[in-house]
Structures are given as C-alpha cells and as structure tokens.
Amino acid sequence: MSELFAFFFRHSKWFVFALLAVISTAMLLSNDPYRQHVYLTSAGRGASTAYKFAGNVTSYFNLHEINDDLNRSNAQLQAEIVRLQERIDLLSESAIADTLQLDSGVPHFEFIVAHVINNSVSRPYNYITLNKGSNDGIVPELGVIDRNGVVGIVSNVGPHSARVISLLNPNFRLSCKIKRSDYFGSLVWDGQTPDEAVLEELPRHTVFKVGDTIVTSGYSAVFPEGLPVGVVLDDDTDHNQNFFTLRIRLFADFTTLGNVQVVVDNHAAELKALSAGEENDAKKNPFGN
Amino acid sequence: MTKFAIKYALTFLLLIPAQAIVFNHMILFNVALPLVFLYLIIILPITLGTNISMLLSFLAGAVLDVFCDTPGVNALCCTLVSFARKPLFHLYVSMDEDLAGFSPSSRTMGHAAYMKFMSTVVVLYLSLMFTIEAFQFFSFKLLVLRIIASSAYTFILLYALDCLSLRPRRA
C-alpha cells in the first residue's frame, strides 16, 4: 500500500496535469451557452462589477458617432410617427363608421434600454454583457437590437447584468428575409470579419441584387418583423448547391456598441403555450388523423 | 517566499481584470491579441512545485475564462504551458545553476535567455489557444497570421512589463 502511495506521490504531477486537463476540456466541450451557470459567465457578479466599473469610463468614447446615428434615427422615427398618426386617424374614422372595436390591448413589443459593458468581436464565439438583468425585467431568449440593427439574443441573466449571444457567434442563427422580395433564409456569422455574415438556405429561385436590404422575417417570438439587419454584398454560392448563400454587410457596428434595446415580446408566453400544445398534439397523434 | 506570495497575489488581482477590461480590447488589425496575463505564468519561481504552478496557472486561466466567456480555453492552455514550463526553461538555463527562489526575469536570467524563454512560452500558448479556436472556423492562413501577430504583440508588451518591474531603485 505504501508503495502505491509512493508511486502516486512520485508521479503526482502527471495526475494533477491529467485532472486539470480533463476539467478544462469538459468546460471547453460543454459549449451550450444556455446551460452555463450565470456565475461562470461575464454576467456573474464579479466579472460584471469589473466591467461596469470600466464601462463608466469607456461609455464616453464614440459619443460623436452615436449622436449622429441617433439624430438620423430620430428623423426617421419622426417621419414614422406622422405616417402612423395619419393611419390611426383614418382607422378611427372607419371604426366609428363601422362600429368596429379598435385593438386597445397590450402592445406587442416593449423595449428595455441597456448599456453594453463588455463586448468581443475577434473570438470564434463572441458574447456581449449588458448592465441590466432580471431585476430590470430581462429574461433569457429576448432579442437585443441597437439603433442600427439586430445585435443578439439574451442567454444568461444575473440580477443586475445579462449575457447576450452576439450575432457574431455561430451558436446564433437569425431568420431573415430580403425586404424587396420576401424570400427568407438563415443568417449566421462565418468568422471572417465583424461587419459581415452570410445568409444561407435561400431558395434557388430567389430574386435579389447587390444592395438589397435584409430584415428580420418575424418567424420567431424574439424579433419583430422588418428590423434592419444588413445589405447584400455579393453572391457566395457554390453553383452546384440547391440553395443560395449571400454575403451580407451588417448594419450594426459591433466594434462600437454602446446603448442597446432589449426587445420584450408580450405575446411570447402565449405563442410558446400554443407551440407546446401543437407539439403535444403531434406526439399523441403523429399521423394527424 | 511570503514577500513573493503577496507580490504575486497583487499582480494576479491586477493583471486578470486588466487583461479582460483593457488588453482584450487592444486588438490590432483584427488579428493581433495581446495576452499580457501570461506574465503570471512566466514569473512563477522555477523551484516551485509543478503541481502548485499548474494549479495557480489553471486558476488564472479559469478566472479569465469567466471574464471572457471562453469556458475552458484559457484554463486548458495555462495548464499545458505551466506543465511544459520547467523543461522549456532548461532549454536556455543550465540544470547545474543554483535556482533557489529563482523567478525568471531579464535581471535573473540575462536579456538573451529571458527573451528566448518568454518568446517560447508566448508562442506555445498562442499556438495552443488559436488552434483550439480554429476548430470552429479553420483557415490555415488566418491561424498562422494570428499566432505570429499576437505573439509579437504580446512579446513587446511583456518585455515592457518586465522592464517596468525592474526599474532601478534609488539607493
């Protein structure tokens, strides 16, 4: 027995090395972002406190560009308000005429403004940390946008911070469509540069041209339909394939992310319950008879 | 040894957040990433037990992984480099020398040997890290470019850090 202990003691560095290597490899291979404990991510208390401290200083950088973007966005929103007001007036008139009840329920989408306290763009799996968490109403699987376009989706939430899977992360696929023709595909980052991604699985008969705008398709409860994502740069398709792959220049500038909005879908629970019901029905009666 | 332990703990508490908050955002041309926290592995005394040095390095990597959302990447690379550190050191410094309490630096090893040792550790670490990351998007050209650019960038900053820590003290 003592010889066995002596053997382990003599070669302890190999056992310690193997143990640490196995632990690290297990951490490395379990890369499902939704299953990681919040304290093992940048949304944990220690990391988020350090990032918030640094964010108080760095948030003043790039204010000039952010201000320009906000002015542009403000002008567009003003025009949108006028257009919508005209439409409401018109609908109200017809509602009075037809005694039709206008929908006065809960708004479909609400937005929570948050600030980016940490962001990476050069790793294969990029994440963003926000300074708001569950105490501010953020829960996992909410969409995140900024003034220019789609940014990512919330994965882990702490009380005062949240971690977002960036659009620059191959774990995140976004359903998008070409605004002009309504053909839809799946947008995913290919790891090349932080301002480009690829739109895959577009049908072969898709009509498009360089410069076409890509927007969200609205086929999920995460993002509303029509949010800007990017523009078509060129066709990346191998011509033996049955689907088109387009290279897209993203609208969101991930290198200077500042303020973002978390999209809260007030109908998400209802949609989930409906989908769960459909799945249960399909399991009970797989042939649909 | 107690003095070194306190100094090391302070360096640890300073360098890990600095790596996460400052150096991770100092990327040049989207390829060169400086990993200044490797200083924590380099300065560990050579006579320190391999088990302790591996545990300390693993801890540094794991804490950085929490900050950077890279679970296991830095922890694994730190463990591997720490394991190989002593044999790498003896490539440049003879086994016969008295190494009691010997912490690698340009003052203790001499400029040439320290630069060789430091560059070997840096290149090994970055090669491991970028190879692990290349399992997702493999591009041989980009992999080589990232290793060379990041190694050069890290080397310059680590050498500057070494020079800063060895400022001549007034008598």
Side-chain angles (χ1 to χ4, degrees), chain B residues 95-171:
Chain B
M95 292 262 198
D96 306 330
E97 286 190 30
D98 178 22
L99 299 175
F102 191 100
S103 179
S105 72
S106 56
R107 188 167 55 186
T108 53
M109 291 173 73
H111 277 278
Y114 179 67
M115 284 166 88
K116 282 184 211 162
F117 172 64
M118 189 169 70
S119 53
T120 315
V121 169
V122 168
V123 171
L124 178 65
Y125 188 94
L126 287 161
S127 305
L128 284 168
M129 195 184 83
F130 288 131
T131 308
I132 290 170
E133 291 191 344
F135 283 114
Q136 181 58 42
F137 304 115
F138 186 73
S139 157
F140 185 73
K141 208 172 87 181
L142 187 65
L143 176 68
V144 173
L145 186 67
R146 289 179 87 182
I147 292 171
I148 294 171
S150 301
S151 299
Y153 194 12
T154 304
F155 177 84
I156 292 167
L157 290 182
L158 280 176
Y159 193 69
L161 195 62
D162 181 65
C163 292
L164 275 177
S165 68
L166 299 174
R167 281 196 317 265
R169 294 182 187 111
R170 287 183 186 179

Side-chain angles (χ1 to χ4, degrees), chain A residues 12-14 16-17 20-21 23-25 27-28 36 39-42 46-47 50-51 54 118-119 121-125 127 129 163 170 189-194, chain B residues 17 20-21 24-25 27 30 33 35 50-51 54-55 58 62 65-77 79-80 83 129 132-134 136-137 142 146:
Chain A
S12 63
K13 74 172 182 183
W14 288 98
V16 173
F17 171 70
L20 295 179
I23 294 171
S24 321
T25 310
M27 284 157 69
L28 186 68
Q36 286 160 14
Y39 284 100
L40 295 176
T41 69
S42 57
Y51 283 134
N118 182 47
N119 177 25
V121 296
S122 64
R123 314 304 288 248
Y125 295 91
Y127 293 93
T129 317
R163 187 183 72 164
W189 190 52
D190 63 348
Q192 302 273 322
T193 66
Chain B
I21 293 165
N24 275 357
H25 300 276
I27 299 163
N30 212 28
L33 172 72
L35 289 182
T50 310
N51 291 346
M54 274 195 293
L55 282 168
F58 173 81
D65 281 334
V66 170
F67 273 90
C68 305
D69 289 307
T70 51
V73 176
N74 288 300
L76 181 62
C77 297
T79 307
L80 290 167
F83 186 70
M129 195 184 83
I132 290 170
E133 291 191 344
Q136 181 58 42
F137 304 115
L142 187 65
R146 289 179 87 182

Side-chain angles (χ1 to χ4, degrees), chain A residues 207-255:
Chain A
V207 180
F208 71 91
K209 60 181 181 186
V210 171
D212 274 354
T213 305
I214 304 298
V215 294
T216 50
S217 67
Y219 291 162
S220 73
V222 179
F223 293 103
E225 186 185 351
L227 281 177
V229 176
V231 289
V232 177
L233 272 184
D234 60 17
D235 176 5
D236 240 15
T237 311
D238 170 359
H239 288 278
N240 296 321
Q241 302 272 327
N242 290 326
F243 294 97
F244 270 132
T245 300
L246 305 182
R247 182 153 287 280
I248 308 297
R249 187 175 60 76
L250 300 170
F251 283 137
D253 183 357
F254 286 85
T255 55

Side-chain angles (χ1 to χ4, degrees), chain A residues 116-138:
Chain A
V116 172
I117 52 173
N118 182 47
N119 177 25
S120 66
V121 296
S122 64
R123 314 304 288 248
Y125 295 91
N126 293 299
Y127 293 93
I128 296 161
T129 317
L130 305 181
N131 68 341
K132 290 198 175 161
S134 54
N135 287 359
D136 306 285
I138 296 178

